[in-house]
Amino acid sequence: MKNLLVAAMLIIAFSTVASADDFRPIFHPPTISIVEALQQDPDNFSTLIGLLRKADIKEVWDTKASYTLLAPTNAAFAKLSAEVFAKLTNDPKNLRQLLLAHLISGKVLFKQMFALDKGAEHKKVTIPLKTADGGLAYISCNAFDPATRGGEHHPLINNSARVLKSDIEGKNSVIQVIDTVLAPGTHWQAR
């Protein structure tokens, strides 16, 4: 009986571990905002949704605005210590800066950024993009990685955040799901 209970607990634990393929398909039609798209998966994005509401980041509610959201999961926020999370989220200015560090003006599709060029060298590519907080997000990807399935890229952002699910596309905006919260005003230099 004890072994059966342990086996059941292990099955439950392994079935709840998030990976790139565990996200429900987020449907992001042109008629809904980025936040409305994230609301389709509250198990992974309830923390982010709550913080976006609290900070009143209007850009992510506008269906006509053109933005790319680097969307940390609930598990990404859980990596922060309770003290750091409280410090970032209880100060409106810090919270706004934190969330703007995850927003890029324009529609950024990794499948286009890291498209294979004929005759190109097989090397890692790093591309800096300006975030809405005035910092930079350095996106590094090996476009020739054989693990890239169906054109989906899982780059590393600022050498710390892995993209779990890429290119969830609406008409004007894109969601890139990440596993780590980015620091505001990042100026990480590609090496």
Side-chain angles (χ1 to χ4, degrees):
M1 181 68 166
K2 185 177 179 182
N3 289 341
L4 182 59
L5 183 60
V6 170
M9 289 174 56
L10 286 173
I11 290 170
I12 291 169
F14 286 125
S15 66
T16 59
V17 174
S19 72
D21 297 327
D22 286 340
F23 290 99
R24 293 182 195 112
I26 298 174
F27 183 58
H28 190 6
T31 57
I32 67 173
S33 69
I34 291 173
V35 174
E36 291 167 319
L38 291 174
Q39 287 173 332
Q40 296 177 36
D41 190 358
D43 293 340
N44 284 306
F45 300 109
S46 60
T47 303
L48 177 59
I49 293 165
L51 294 175
L52 288 168
R53 281 189 179 129
K54 185 176 181 178
D56 195 27
I57 306 289
K58 292 178 181 12
E59 295 89 333
V60 295
W61 294 98
D62 186 352
T63 58
K64 293 179 179 142
S66 182
Y67 285 97
T68 298
L69 177 65
L70 306 173
T73 62
N74 291 347
F77 282 105
K79 290 180 183 178
L80 299 175
S81 71
E83 182 181 322
V84 169
F85 185 78
K87 182 179 177 184
L88 287 171
T89 59
N90 290 330
D91 178 342
K93 184 178 177 184
N94 282 342
L95 178 58
R96 183 165 178 77
Q97 284 298 108
L98 171 76
L99 295 173
L100 291 176
H102 294 81
L103 199 61
I104 298 169
S105 183
K107 189 174 178 179
V108 177
L109 294 170
F110 293 152
K111 64 186 171 194
Q112 291 174 350
M113 263 177 71
F114 300 108
L116 300 175
D117 291 330
K118 290 183 180 179
E121 289 183 38
H122 293 247
K123 64 180 180 180
K124 189 173 187 174
V125 177
T126 300
I127 299 171
L129 296 173
K130 188 170 185 167
T131 56
D133 74 327
L136 294 172
Y138 288 90
I139 303 168
S140 302
C141 187
N142 181 351
F144 303 95
D145 186 348
T148 301
R149 292 168 273 155
E152 185 171 333
H153 295 276
H154 303 280
L156 196 60
I157 300 173
N158 293 348
N159 210 26
S160 64
R162 173 75 52 203
V163 174
L164 299 174
K165 190 78 175 161
S166 66
D167 299 341
I168 301 167
E169 185 177 2
K171 181 178 181 184
N172 299 313
S173 58
V174 177
I175 299 168
Q176 309 287 0
V177 179
I178 60 175
D179 70 351
T180 303
V181 176
L182 302 174
T186 300
H187 295 284
W188 176 83
Q189 293 297 316
R191 299 189 205 297

